[in-house]
Amino acid sequence: DVKVTQSSRYLVKRTGEKVFLECVQDMDHENMFWYRQDPGLGLRLIYFSYDVKMKEKGDIPEGYSVSREKKERFSLILESASTNQTSMYLCATDSRASGSPLHFGNGTRLTVT
Amino acid sequence: SQQGEEDPQALSIQEGENATMNCSYKTSINNLQWYRQNSGRGLVHLILIRSNEREKHSGRLRVTLDTSKKSSSLLITASRAADTASYFCATSGTYKYIFGTGTRLKVLA
């Protein structure tokens, strides 16, 4: 089974801090994604990466950046955390095979105070 | 961005009953997937139906797809308390998945 590990389940940070959310996968998948999930809004794509050092903006990239230096690791960076970035963050991966499902980590619930 | 919409937003049924959730979407798709999310956890893939398929079964799950109406339904038969979760549809295009807002299912024992 694919394992997608997010480094923290819960995180509390202060406004203005730089925040790193880490995601590691063990199945050699090419594609990796970062979503945020908010009540009533579903999952919204922040960034995705289809290869090492490659990244594409999703639907809500403002205030975020990403890094993919190694195939197995995809990091989400909040350059200067704000209270409206309080949310559940979900990392996911899939292979490039047609019909390949997404595999999710357990999420990081971030609170910015 | 365009999102799918699930209907109903919430559903409460008795154990043993069937649960039906619907999903509508806006764009052309390669496939449509259903996911389940237990409270506070990540999503788990349940079933995928391709755009050229009309119906698919997996255990107690039955999925239908009507591309002319841009809609899909997920039926869970003989529900159990352990089926209590949120269910999301996701449509797949190139690289990106678009998720609906989910249906919260509660199965009462």
Side-chain angles (χ1 to χ4, degrees):
Chain A
D1 276 352
V2 176
K3 190 167 184 181
V4 181
T5 303
Q6 293 184 231
S7 53
S8 305
R9 288 280 287 132
Y10 300 94
L11 211 52
V12 179
K13 295 292 182 180
R14 294 190 181 276
T15 302
E17 278 193 81
K18 190 169 186 176
V19 181
F20 293 86
L21 303 183
E22 306 285 347
C23 176
V24 178
Q25 51 110 350
D26 67 355
M27 281 300 291
D28 205 35
H29 281 176
E30 293 85 1
N31 300 333
M32 297 188 75
F33 305 81
W34 275 107
Y35 289 89
R36 66 177 281 176
Q37 183 178 21
D38 301 287
L41 297 178
L43 276 76
R44 293 179 291 168
L45 181 64
I46 305 171
Y47 268 97
F48 66 99
S49 168
Y50 51 88
D51 206 344
V52 175
K53 296 192 185 297
M54 304 301 289
K55 60 185 180 184
E56 292 284 343
K57 293 180 179 179
D59 300 315
I60 52 165
E62 296 78 18
Y64 303 94
S65 62
V66 291
S67 172
R68 192 161 181 206
E69 296 296 318
K70 294 184 178 181
K71 191 173 186 179
E72 67 270 20
R73 187 180 296 269
F74 191 35
S75 302
L76 179 69
I77 303 155
L78 286 65
E79 296 289 343
S80 178
S82 64
T83 55
N84 63 12
Q85 293 178 309
T86 291
S87 186
M88 169 72 104
Y89 290 88
L90 293 163
C91 174
T93 77
D94 75 350
S95 76
R96 288 191 186 145
S98 176
S100 167
L102 281 171
H103 299 269
F104 282 85
N106 275 328
T108 296
R109 187 167 294 280
L110 173 67
T111 302
V112 182
T113 61
Chain B
S1 70
Q2 294 178 318
Q3 274 191 327
E5 294 182 3
E6 277 95 343
D7 168 52
Q9 289 188 335
L11 181 60
S12 186
I13 59 174
Q14 295 292 325
E15 204 166 28
E17 293 181 338
N18 295 341
T20 300
M21 289 159 265
N22 303 296
C23 166
S24 60
Y25 57 93
K26 297 178 182 177
T27 60
S28 297
I29 61 171
N30 295 329
N31 61 66
L32 185 144
Q33 304 181 29
W34 284 89
Y35 290 81
R36 165 196 168 122
Q37 183 181 34
N38 288 352
S39 179
R41 312 296 285 189
L43 280 71
V44 175
H45 179 257
L46 293 176
I47 192 166
L48 178 150
I49 186 165
R50 300 184 191 280
S51 60
N52 61 354
E53 297 175 311
R54 292 295 167 258
E55 186 172 315
K56 200 162 184 180
H57 297 252
S58 176
R60 294 184 296 114
L61 304 179
R62 172 178 168 254
V63 171
T64 61
L65 179 64
D66 186 336
T67 53
S68 66
K69 295 181 179 178
K70 290 187 166 60
S71 68
S72 174
S73 68
L74 171 68
L75 169 67
I76 303 173
T77 61
S79 63
R80 306 165 181 168
D83 294 328
T84 294
S86 292
Y87 293 82
F88 295 86
C89 68
T91 53
S92 173
T94 304
Y95 289 130
K96 290 174 63 173
Y97 298 78
I98 300 174
F99 283 83
T101 52
T103 292
R104 293 188 311 278
L105 173 66
K106 187 168 187 178
V107 181
L108 304 170

